[in-house]
Amino acid sequence: MAVNINNVYQKVLALLNKEQRGYLTPQEFNLLADRAQNEIYENYFHQARNSNAKIKDDDQYTDTLEMIEAKLSPFLKLATGTASSSGAYTLPTDLYKIITVHLGLYVAEEVNRKELEYILAFGNNLNSKLKPTIARPVYIRDSSTTIKITDGGVSSNSSTTVVFDYYKEPTTPTWGYVVVNEKALYNTNTSVNFELASSEEEPLVSRLLMLAGFTIKQPDAQQAGGASIQMTNQEQNS
């Protein structure tokens, strides 16, 4: 379940007004809301990497990864693509992170350009285990929006459909409003809620409070939000 953007905005305003810290305009809030959501989203992947690096105590390790996977599950997507005339496959426009690239029945492994040169150089030896094949294709990020796949030249990739498993970027949240008597009033029809899990409401409020404190030049609001974030991080890493 998503986080209601109006609930978050009203909580942030209440915390700012409580100590007469100032006012955060809807325009300012919308800019900060997008940043806060993206920071929390990026932190999911950081937490997953840290969990993999820790000694895998069965229960704790499993619980942590399951929690992260549950939070990421709404962002999982599938998309298909075909090669352009240059042999490049266009990545999904809402791509955040690739999970797997399927070429036909097989999964392609990502390599960088230097690794590909090394693989192809040794691939001239037909007995080389490094040689890409139909069953063991590899791909490189050709640009920020495309990839190129090689399977050793055994098949024509131009006629092969590629399937991308990936995590999409979060949709930009928006607190929509109409102006009545020079006052911004919440408009649910033009608003876009946060895509994060409902459990992230308070972390969003804390992060936005910290960011708002910087925007409206209120160090105490920054400190209050930062302290809450630090406490949450300590609990997650304990």
Side-chain angles (χ1 to χ4, degrees), residues 47-48 50-52 54-71:
Q47 290 176 36
N50 282 350
S51 295
N52 284 325
K54 291 179 181 178
I55 297 174
K56 296 177 177 58
D57 173 82
D58 288 346
D59 292 336
Q60 184 176 353
Y61 171 72
T62 301
D63 289 348
T64 301
L65 284 184
E66 284 182 353
M67 178 187 70
I68 296 169
E69 288 171 358
K71 290 179 177 181

Side-chain angles (χ1 to χ4, degrees), residues 6 30 48 51 58 61 88 106-107 110 117 122 126 163 173 188 198:
N6 189 48
N30 283 334
S51 295
D58 288 346
Y61 171 72
Y106 304 102
V107 175
E110 183 177 9
E117 290 173 5
F122 278 87
L126 293 179
V163 177
T188 185
S198 57

Side-chain angles (χ1 to χ4, degrees), residues 57-157:
D57 173 82
D58 288 346
D59 292 336
Q60 184 176 353
Y61 171 72
T62 301
D63 289 348
T64 301
L65 284 184
E66 284 182 353
M67 178 187 70
I68 296 169
E69 288 171 358
K71 290 179 177 181
L72 286 171
S73 62
F75 300 94
L76 280 171
K77 288 190 71 175
L78 283 176
T80 58
T82 53
S84 66
S85 57
S86 66
Y89 291 86
T90 301
L91 295 167
T93 55
D94 60 350
L95 173 72
Y96 178 81
K97 181 180 178 63
I98 292 175
I99 303 172
T100 52
V101 175
H102 298 267
L103 181 65
L105 297 174
Y106 304 102
V107 175
E109 179 183 355
E110 183 177 9
V111 296
N112 59 42
R113 289 186 181 275
K114 186 174 181 179
E115 290 170 333
L116 181 62
E117 290 173 5
Y118 181 81
I119 289 169
L120 293 180
F122 278 87
N124 291 327
N125 177 358
L126 293 179
N127 294 321
S128 173
K129 292 183 179 180
L130 293 175
K131 183 178 176 65
T133 65
I134 294 175
R136 193 172 62 253
V138 298
Y139 74 92
I140 60 168
R141 293 292 290 262
D142 191 46
S143 71
S144 61
T145 59
T146 59
I147 65 169
K148 280 192 174 180
I149 300 175
T150 179
D151 57 12
V154 178
S155 67
S156 173
N157 288 335

